[in-house]
Amino acid sequence: MAVELAASQGASPAAAAADPTIPSEIARIFTNALDPTGFPARWNCGEWSPPLGYLHIVSDLLIWSAYMAIPIVIASYTLRRRDVLFPAVAWLFAGFIFACGTTHLIEAIIFYTPIYRLSGIFKLGTAAVSWATVIALIPLVPKAIKIPGIHRMNQRLAEEILEHERTERELRAAQELMDAKNRELEQFAYSVSHDLRSPLVTIRNLLNVMERDAAAGRTDRNAELLTLATRTATRMSDTVEDLLELSRAGTPLTAREPVDLGDAARDAVEARRPDLERLGFVVRIAPDLPRISADRARVRQIFDNLVGNAIKYAAGVDAPQLEFSAKMTQDDVSICIRDNGPGIPKRHHDRVFRLFERLDNDSEGTGVGLALVQRAAEVMGGRVWLDSDEGRGCAFWLVFPRSLLV
């Protein structure tokens, strides 16, 4: 047998390929994979010292144990997750690592049992699985490159979370605004119903009185009753007109233009000049009123109603005054319209901007003017507030963002 092996080792590759015993030998390798015949244990090959031998054995066993743990982890992850990318490659990779680990186990066993045939079979299997993994990876590399990295995915997720939170805040704000508008609509409907029904009831009662007087042959009160009915109808007409103005003031702003607030104040004063001169008003308009980007018609509405408010409560005031001034801050532009009328107690400040609220029941006003002022200011991006107290006049402040300056 030794002679045959030597002869075989000395044969040329061509002769080996033509040797009819090679296929049978290959078959015997697979059928007798665990047969150690013809080979000595590795301890008997060369001069192995125990430290060197056990260094190889222990190292191979540690590598094998690690290689066994890796495919177990991969398999556990792949089985539990249904959204694993490229699962076939994951299984191939697990098989490749398992095969590599097994070759190290066999290397350790060969120190005691020379199962070289089994070692060769496993190395062949490892080679096959390795190349199958390589072939499977080649077309997947471009796809894998396109997959965003963990950092990028986290960044995108954070952006989506922020966008979701922003949308939720906007939805909450929109819901709160809708609730406020619904409450305002309910109050509006109630107020309109009350303030329009009241003059109608008055007119109907006056007509009933006139009808009874006519039936009784009395006509001496007709002129007085007709005057009262006309005055009531006029007041109702004024209320309807003011409501129309209020509805227009609340419509969304479609266009802006540069508006000189000094010119707008002078226009409002000029429109009310007869009443102002009749009451002896002293009007002062500061020369530094700014120009802002606004809706000219709404600015005119605001100033006209505030001048009218000062005129309405000027009766009985000695030397009534009306003053327009401006104040700038880092963020805001504030316009003050101040009078020296009777003033408004602080407890009523919230009421004055409500629809149909009249602090003086004897007033001829409709209770719409200051609500219109507030709504027009808010539509243009500003706000209005009142600084007043009883006996020291009123100061209405219109506040707009400084970004509206032109």
Side-chain angles (χ1 to χ4, degrees):
M1 184 65 183
V3 175
E4 291 177 0
L5 285 173
S8 176
Q9 290 172 355
S12 66
D19 190 344
T21 63
I22 291 178
S24 60
E25 179 60 24
I26 293 174
R28 196 165 72 87
I29 290 173
F30 284 91
T31 55
N32 299 300
L34 296 176
D35 184 8
T37 302
F39 303 98
R42 186 164 290 171
W43 279 116
N44 300 324
C45 296
E47 297 180 359
W48 289 92
S49 64
L52 179 59
Y54 285 116
L55 174 63
H56 279 266
I57 294 171
V58 172
S59 298
D60 280 322
L61 290 175
L62 289 174
I63 293 172
W64 167 75
S65 61
Y67 274 27
M68 292 300 102
I70 293 173
I72 291 173
V73 172
I74 293 175
S76 175
Y77 176 80
T78 305
L79 289 172
R80 292 183 182 181
R81 290 290 299 267
R82 299 299 181 186
D83 57 346
V84 176
L85 296 176
F86 318 128
V89 174
W91 284 112
L92 277 174
F93 191 63
F96 159 69
I97 295 176
F98 176 82
C100 290
T102 304
T103 59
H104 282 276
L105 174 65
I106 293 174
E107 288 295 314
I109 294 174
I110 285 176
F111 270 85
Y112 301 96
T113 304
I115 46 176
Y116 285 99
R117 295 181 179 86
L118 182 63
S119 176
I121 293 171
F122 263 92
K123 287 180 179 179
L124 178 62
T126 302
V129 174
S130 302
W131 275 105
T133 305
V134 170
I135 293 170
L137 282 173
I138 290 173
L140 295 182
V141 169
K143 298 179 182 179
I145 291 174
K146 293 180 181 179
I147 298 174
I150 296 298
H151 175 72
R152 186 175 170 188
M153 291 178 66
N154 288 339
Q155 185 178 8
R156 186 179 299 175
L157 179 61
E159 292 174 354
E160 290 178 356
I161 291 173
L162 289 176
E163 179 66 19
H164 180 69
E165 292 176 347
R166 184 186 65 80
T167 303
E168 282 190 343
R169 287 195 299 271
E170 290 178 352
L171 287 174
R172 284 197 297 271
Q175 183 63 47
E176 291 172 0
L177 179 61
M178 184 178 295
D179 292 342
K181 291 295 183 182
N182 286 336
R183 290 192 296 270
E184 183 180 346
L185 182 61
E186 290 176 1
Q187 179 187 1
F188 177 81
Y190 173 78
S191 300
V192 168
S193 173
H194 177 272
D195 277 60
L196 290 183
R197 184 162 66 252
S198 178
L200 286 175
V201 171
T202 300
I203 293 172
R204 184 178 62 190
N205 291 338
L206 290 171
L207 292 175
N208 287 337
V209 171
M210 292 177 66
E211 184 180 14
R212 287 196 300 270
D213 285 355
R218 296 177 55 189
T219 60
D220 55 320
R221 293 193 300 173
N222 281 1
E224 178 185 355
L225 294 175
L226 283 173
T227 300
L228 290 175
T230 302
R231 186 184 304 168
T232 303
T234 300
R235 182 170 180 175
M236 186 170 67
S237 176
D238 291 342
T239 300
V240 172
E241 289 295 328
D242 284 348
L243 288 174
L244 289 174
E245 290 296 320
L246 180 67
S247 67
R248 295 190 190 104
T251 56
L253 194 62
T254 57
R256 292 181 182 270
E257 60 178 312
V259 178
D260 189 313
L261 296 181
D263 290 344
R266 284 185 284 272
D267 290 344
V269 170
E270 187 62 29
R272 299 275 187 165
R273 180 171 295 280
D275 290 331
L276 292 169
E277 290 181 347
R278 175 175 54 82
L279 294 169
F281 262 89
V282 175
V283 180
R284 288 185 292 272
I285 300 176
D288 61 345
L289 293 186
R291 287 163 56 90
I292 66 171
S293 176
D295 183 307
R296 189 179 301 276
R298 284 184 170 91
V299 172
R300 186 181 297 117
Q301 282 180 327
I302 291 173
F303 282 175
D304 183 69
N305 277 279
L306 292 179
V307 173
N309 190 76
I311 292 172
K312 186 189 306 179
Y313 295 102
V317 177
D318 293 332
Q321 299 178 14
L322 182 63
E323 180 181 3
F324 292 79
S325 60
K327 183 176 72 173
M328 304 282 186
T329 67
Q330 184 177 358
D331 301 317
D332 299 318
V333 178
S334 299
I335 311 301
C336 180
I337 298 90
R338 186 185 301 273
D339 63 53
N340 63 339
I344 299 174
K346 291 188 181 298
R347 66 180 181 277
H348 295 315
H349 284 194
D350 290 339
R351 291 179 53 197
V352 296
F353 296 108
R354 295 178 189 169
L355 190 62
F356 297 128
E357 285 283 353
R358 290 186 291 271
L359 302 183
D360 182 2
N361 292 328
D362 295 330
S363 170
E364 293 296 324
T366 61
V368 177
L370 292 180
L372 185 150
V373 168
Q374 183 182 58
R375 184 166 298 183
E378 290 175 349
V379 168
M380 290 189 293
R383 65 184 190 278
V384 59
W385 59 281
L386 172 64
D387 179 18
S388 178
D389 208 347
E390 194 168 10
R392 65 178 186 88
C394 291
F396 288 93
W397 288 89
L398 296 169
V399 184
F400 296 101
R402 194 179 178 93
S403 59
L404 296 182
L405 281 175
V406 294

